[in-house]
Amino acid sequence: MNYTLNQLQIFLKIAQTLSVTKAAEELHLTQPAVSIQLKKFQDQFDIPLTEVVGRKIYITDFGKEIAQSVESILEQVGTINYKTHSYKGQLTGRLKLSTVSTSMYVMPYFLSPFMKQHKHVELVMDVTNRSNVIRSLEQNAVDFSLVSIMPSAPQVEKLDLLDNNLFLIGDGKEKFKKAPYSKQILKELPLIFREKGSGTRQVMENFIERSHLSILPKMELTSNEAVKQSELQSGHLQIIPVVGLPIKSIWRLIWLKGKKHSPVASAFLEFVRKEKNEIIAKYFPFEGQ
């Protein structure tokens, strides 16, 4: 046997995702590179690790047992690396986060300086919709999640970061008056909605329901960036003043109540608590603290 750590990591990722393509994406490798390393790993065994039926890859029973051993090996390697860097006074390990897609305008400002300070920390961040974020938290698959709407379950602890104000935004071609419009304007404008499961959409629908308005979306898009790009195609964006807007919420870092944080997670939480006011003042000067 002469397999490499790279081959072990690739095979484990394939076993977890059941896809060479997804494994390549998550490992930031090309699909051919992953396929080559999988073949080299397989060539060291007389028993098949995988089988392909149609265009789908499956892990054999033998492959599943090997995957379990590989996971244990990689955990031990991680422990060795952790002890080595700890001995030299360096923080190491994984920081696992799940965040809603709109947090791409917020989270990097809190993550970047921390990651620069601790170059041996590996960041694993899933950017998805609110439903998946809460699911990852419930399954204890992440250290922290970033949300603007608190979940009803499970029980969590939180750290408030900064205000998140939601406005009605339109393209720049049409001229709107500066005085606030009544909520009835929402019935007159062709609205673009986020997809179901999005926190932005949930807040929007709650506002519409409280206002006793009957509105159907003209279009559904799966990210705020897609919504923004759709609007930008028709001109510059502008805020349309409406009575009752903006809807005010707060970006919060949350974690399972009673969770025992790893050294990396504890260090990140302490960093955010200590540095958040300075980060907000520097990058979000118009947001409340």
Side-chain angles (χ1 to χ4, degrees):
M1 294 292 179
N2 192 29
Y3 40 74
T4 66
L5 286 176
N6 185 42
Q7 290 169 357
L8 295 180
Q9 291 170 333
I10 286 173
F11 176 67
L12 181 59
K13 186 60 67 175
I14 291 172
Q16 292 171 339
T17 62
L18 296 178
S19 168
V20 171
T21 301
K22 290 181 180 178
E25 290 174 353
E26 294 191 18
L27 293 171
H28 305 290
L29 298 171
T30 65
Q31 186 172 332
V34 169
S35 297
I36 290 170
Q37 292 305 315
L38 174 61
K39 184 180 185 303
K40 288 182 177 180
F41 187 60
Q42 173 64 78
D43 287 346
Q44 300 179 68
F45 299 90
D46 296 328
I47 306 172
L49 299 169
T50 64
E51 58 181 350
V52 177
V53 179
R55 300 181 63 181
K56 190 172 182 180
I57 190 169
Y58 294 88
I59 309 300
T60 64
D61 289 342
F62 175 67
K64 291 176 182 177
E65 291 190 21
I66 295 300
Q68 291 178 350
S69 298
V70 167
E71 186 171 15
S72 178
I73 290 170
L74 293 177
E75 286 178 356
Q76 291 300 316
V77 171
T79 300
I80 291 172
N81 291 337
Y82 170 75
K83 289 181 178 180
T84 300
H85 291 300
S86 295
Y87 190 80
K88 295 190 293 185
Q90 299 171 337
L91 187 66
T92 186
R94 284 186 172 186
L95 177 62
K96 295 177 289 185
L97 302 171
S98 63
T99 71
V100 294
S101 58
T102 44
S103 74
M104 63 181 288
Y105 305 107
V106 175
M107 201 62 198
Y109 296 100
F110 294 90
L111 276 172
S112 181
F114 177 79
M115 298 301 292
K116 285 181 180 178
Q117 284 184 21
H118 305 287
K119 298 185 182 299
H120 298 287
V121 169
E122 179 185 353
L123 175 63
V124 180
M125 185 165 68
D126 182 26
V127 180
T128 182
N129 65 31
R130 183 175 181 275
S131 297
N132 291 333
V133 166
I134 302 306
R135 186 178 300 114
S136 68
L137 198 69
E138 291 174 337
Q139 296 173 348
N140 196 27
V142 294
D143 299 309
F144 305 103
S145 294
L146 184 67
V147 298
S148 59
I149 304 173
M150 290 292 287
S152 55
Q155 288 190 321
V156 298
E157 297 181 63
K158 65 181 177 67
L159 174 63
D160 292 352
L161 296 184
L162 72 158
D163 291 348
N164 178 36
N165 297 324
L166 301 180
F167 296 85
L168 178 63
I169 303 294
D171 67 62
K173 289 185 177 180
E174 187 172 350
K175 291 186 177 181
F176 294 93
K177 62 184 182 182
K178 294 183 178 181
Y181 290 85
S182 75
K183 297 174 184 178
Q184 296 299 317
I185 193 176
L186 296 173
K187 298 176 66 175
E188 302 169 11
L189 297 175
L191 299 181
I192 299 174
F193 279 44
R194 282 290 307 275
E195 82 286 1
K196 291 182 179 179
S198 158
T200 304
R201 176 165 179 156
Q202 180 180 331
V203 170
M204 182 178 180
E205 289 180 331
N206 290 343
F207 177 79
I208 290 171
E209 184 178 349
R210 291 196 308 271
S211 302
H212 306 291
L213 300 173
S214 179
I215 295 172
L216 293 176
K218 176 186 177 184
M219 184 188 305
E220 290 187 10
L221 296 176
T222 57
S223 73
N224 271 42
E225 186 63 24
V227 172
K228 186 178 75 173
Q229 291 303 321
S230 175
E231 289 289 353
L232 284 173
Q233 289 177 6
S234 57
H236 296 295
L237 299 178
Q238 63 175 311
I239 294 176
I240 304 172
V242 177
V243 173
L245 295 181
I247 302 170
K248 297 181 180 294
S249 61
I250 299 174
W251 284 114
R252 293 183 171 99
L253 198 66
I254 63 174
W255 59 94
L256 285 177
K257 190 171 185 179
K259 182 176 177 62
K260 294 182 179 179
H261 289 305
S262 67
V264 169
S266 295
F268 178 66
L269 186 59
E270 180 61 27
F271 170 85
V272 174
R273 282 177 170 150
K274 181 180 178 181
E275 302 294 335
K276 73 166 189 172
N277 287 341
E278 184 175 338
I279 291 171
I280 292 170
K282 183 176 181 179
Y283 297 107
F284 308 96
F286 301 109
E287 298 288 353
Q289 299 184 28

